[in-house]
Amino acid sequence: MIKKVDHIGIAVRSLETTLPLYTEVLNLPLLGIEVVESQKVRVAFLKAGETKLELLEPTSEESTIAKFIEKRGEGIHHVALGVDSIEDRIKEMNEKGITMIDKEPRIGAGGAHIAFMHPKSTSGVLVELCEKKG
């Protein structure tokens, strides 16, 4: 079911301010930056061994990331687990009583198919299921 921890999402106010910590101090390679219009975020991916770090900067005050930062401050936002057949995983989570935020997969950064589990079902942790095609 779960292949690996795909990435850890970290909410930040500014990529420009935060990236030097990861690229210059921690020497993590920057894999790329993209804007995900549907989620109103600018995303930077960094390679940290077998896992990636995903820095999430809101591009709008309406972004869920902006609301997260306003409520909780910058920090870990979610843990993404790599899966095969995300549709089957969503169905399985529903059958096991997990409340899903996303009833159907949607497209996330890098074109991945994603779906989030509600933190009320996962001991307060926002968990993302992430299937990468190809």
Side-chain angles (χ1 to χ4, degrees):
M1 177 182 148
I2 304 299
K3 298 188 309 184
K4 65 178 182 172
V5 173
D6 185 78
H7 65 270
I8 298 170
I10 302 170
V12 301
R13 287 186 177 86
S14 165
L15 291 180
E16 283 72 28
T17 302
T18 307
L19 270 174
L21 168 66
Y22 292 93
T23 58
E24 296 170 20
V25 176
L26 299 174
N27 294 316
L28 297 177
L30 176 63
L31 300 174
I33 297 175
E34 70 175 279
V35 174
V36 182
E37 294 290 343
S38 63
Q39 295 178 27
K40 299 180 177 99
V41 292
R42 202 166 133 223
V43 181
F45 278 105
L46 299 131
K47 184 170 176 56
E50 294 295 315
T51 303
K52 290 186 257 350
L53 299 181
E54 178 187 53
L55 304 183
L56 301 153
E57 173 192 77
T59 59
S60 163
E61 291 181 16
E62 300 304 313
S63 164
T64 57
I65 297 300
K67 293 173 185 173
F68 176 89
I69 291 171
E70 182 180 314
K71 185 175 180 180
R72 296 193 176 103
E74 295 178 295
I76 293 177
H77 179 260
H78 67 273
V79 175
L81 303 175
V83 300
D84 287 323
S85 185
I86 194 165
E87 291 89 358
D88 290 346
R89 296 297 71 79
I90 292 170
K91 181 180 174 191
E92 180 182 12
M93 293 303 105
N94 284 322
E95 290 170 356
K96 291 182 175 182
I98 301 295
T99 302
M100 297 296 297
I101 293 171
D102 299 296
K103 305 298 182 204
E104 300 289 330
R106 57 186 160 117
I107 303 299
H113 292 189
I114 63 170
F116 285 92
M117 297 179 195
H118 198 287
K120 289 181 182 175
S121 291
T122 56
S123 301
V125 176
L126 181 60
V127 177
E128 174 185 358
L129 300 176
C130 178
E131 180 183 6
K132 297 193 174 165
K133 305 285 184 181

